[in-house]
Amino acid sequence: YNGENFLTFDGETKSWIAEKPQAEIIKQEWNENTIYMESWIRYLNTECVAWLKTSLNYGKNLLQRKDLPSVSLLQKSPSSPVSCHATGFFPNRAVMFWRKDGEEIHEDVDLGEILPNHDGSFQMSIDLNVSSVTPEDWRRYDCVFHLSGVKDDIVTKLDKALIRTNWGKTDIRSDIRI
């Protein structure tokens, strides 16, 4: 009551204990009512236990849930950075980085923050400035996504053929270049 215990049930003595003076009358009434006491004990030993087990299993499944993302390479224009974008992962304990020749790099890299999706999953991006990377050196780069608690990383090679973009495409409806 008001954020504090009012009545407590002692399972060993199978009786109620008044935690506040105002609970004394209820304690006496409940302790004297054997039918009520038997139904309360039956509830605690069966229904309550089953409900707690169900809740624990649900919570365990939710807390141990691991959803891997969809990872894409995106680029707004030929001169803009290449963004490695991961979406749909859960939980939000994840890291993402660019590598060159297998070594993590930080120069010319811009890491975005982890953001929530409408479905409860998460997304994040990391950009790589490719303006100084020669076409033959692109194969030396890859984007790595690591989700906490998952053994294997998702590795995406920097490959022009994999980059999703809308530049250079024609809109069929209006014949306007985008």
Side-chain angles (χ1 to χ4, degrees):
Y1 181 77
N2 282 342
E4 297 179 0
N5 287 345
F6 187 70
L7 281 171
T8 304
F9 184 74
D10 184 337
E12 289 195 22
T13 63
K14 297 187 179 3
S15 63
W16 290 97
I17 300 165
E19 299 285 341
K20 298 285 179 199
Q22 298 89 335
E24 247 342 286
I25 294 171
I26 296 172
K27 176 197 95 163
Q28 288 175 358
E29 186 179 314
W30 286 6
N31 282 339
E32 291 170 5
N33 186 336
T34 56
I35 294 172
Y36 178 78
M37 185 65 71
E38 288 170 11
S39 66
W40 183 252
I41 292 169
R42 189 172 38 258
Y43 168 78
L44 288 174
N45 289 331
T46 56
E47 293 176 48
C48 186
V49 171
W51 180 83
L52 285 171
K53 285 180 179 177
T54 300
S55 295
L56 285 171
N57 281 335
Y58 176 76
K60 179 178 149 187
N61 291 339
L62 182 66
L63 291 171
Q64 292 180 344
R65 176 180 146 203
K66 305 266 187 288
D67 294 340
L68 293 175
S70 160
V71 179
S72 303
L73 297 177
L74 310 170
Q75 193 175 30
K76 292 179 183 174
S77 71
S79 60
S80 65
V82 173
S83 180
C84 185
H85 182 76
T87 187
F89 62 89
F90 187 91
N92 67 347
R93 295 181 307 275
V95 293
M96 202 171 190
F97 53 91
W98 281 101
R99 291 189 307 199
K100 179 180 178 184
D101 297 328
E103 296 291 323
E104 185 174 346
I105 59 171
H106 301 281
E107 193 172 321
D108 294 325
V109 172
D110 185 22
L111 177 63
E113 61 185 306
I114 296 177
L115 301 171
N117 288 323
H118 70 281
D119 63 358
S121 66
F122 296 91
Q123 64 175 298
M124 69 186 304
S125 293
I126 186 166
D127 295 343
L128 174 66
N129 183 348
V130 292
S131 61
S132 61
V133 179
T134 61
E136 55 273 3
D137 281 345
W138 276 47
R139 61 182 173 75
R140 298 171 60 192
Y141 291 84
D142 49 36
C143 173
V144 179
F145 176 89
H146 175 76
L147 185 63
S148 179
V150 175
K151 182 183 172 194
D152 296 326
D153 294 338
I154 297 175
V155 180
T156 307
K157 281 279 189 202
L158 180 59
D159 182 344
K160 285 188 188 225
L162 297 178
I163 295 175
R164 297 172 71 185
T165 182
N166 61 0
W167 44 272
K169 295 182 180 174
T170 304
D171 184 333
I172 297 171
R173 294 169 296 174
S174 61
D175 200 28
I176 298 173
R177 293 194 60 80
I178 299 175

